[in-house]
Amino acid sequence: MFDGFAISVSGMEAEQRRLRVIASNLANANSTRSAAGETYRRQDVLFAAVPLERDGSEALRSSREVRKVAAVGVVEDPRPLKRLYMPSHPDADEKGFVEFPNVEPFEEVVHMMDAVRCYEANVMSFNASKEMLKRALEIGR
């Protein structure tokens, strides 16, 4: 009965993590060095469908396994870094080039809009499940 709530909440948590990673990408779009001293690389979140944990009433459930979404990790984007000729920059190499992150701000804004829409869809699903449960309880009165 409450699987819909758990699935919606897992989707909201996954999109929230995705939004934090996107914000980090945007914040580092023009940085030339990370805390480790290397050039920042764009990051992306990996999602996976994982089994939904349930209480002990497994015998009453169908044989189909219900899954929820989980953010299972963060990976770096393998695309090449941007190189600009700036010989006076303190991070320039011996040829005068500076490496900048492989972050495209416009692309990140599109990803952010997608994550917000997915989050909103999960909120709407949660609210629909809540309304159905509320109406079912009203029928039982």
Side-chain angles (χ1 to χ4, degrees):
M1 177 190 270
F2 296 102
D3 290 351
F5 292 119
I7 292 168
S8 295
V9 168
S10 73
M12 287 185 274
E13 289 171 346
E15 293 303 334
Q16 187 177 35
R17 182 162 182 200
R18 183 175 169 206
L19 283 167
R20 282 194 304 269
V21 169
I22 292 169
S24 176
N25 289 340
L26 285 170
N28 289 291
N30 293 317
S31 62
T32 56
R33 266 190 279 184
S34 68
E38 298 176 358
T39 305
Y40 180 85
R41 288 193 167 273
R42 180 185 175 278
Q43 297 179 341
D44 208 359
V45 179
L46 290 178
F47 292 145
V50 297
L52 183 65
E53 299 89 21
R54 294 188 169 142
D55 57 9
S57 60
E58 290 294 324
L60 302 175
R61 307 264 183 209
S62 67
S63 61
R64 292 186 318 158
E65 189 172 354
V66 177
R67 296 182 171 270
K68 65 178 183 175
V69 68
V72 294
V74 178
V75 294
E76 288 186 347
D77 190 334
R79 291 184 287 185
L81 299 171
K82 298 179 215 170
R83 290 177 47 93
L84 294 174
Y85 183 71
M86 301 173 79
S88 62
H89 195 283
D91 292 328
D93 62 12
E94 61 279 348
K95 294 181 182 178
F97 286 93
V98 179
E99 287 186 331
F100 283 90
N102 55 353
V103 176
E104 295 293 335
F106 182 74
E107 180 183 350
E108 294 302 316
V109 169
V110 171
H111 287 294
M112 185 181 295
M113 290 169 54
D114 181 50
V116 167
R117 297 286 187 259
C118 290
Y119 187 92
E120 289 172 348
N122 281 294
V123 169
M124 289 175 62
S125 174
F126 185 91
N127 288 336
S129 295
K130 184 172 70 174
E131 280 300 312
M132 285 190 290
L133 184 59
K134 194 161 70 170
R135 300 231 176 162
L137 291 172
E138 288 173 3
I139 291 172
R141 280 193 218 191

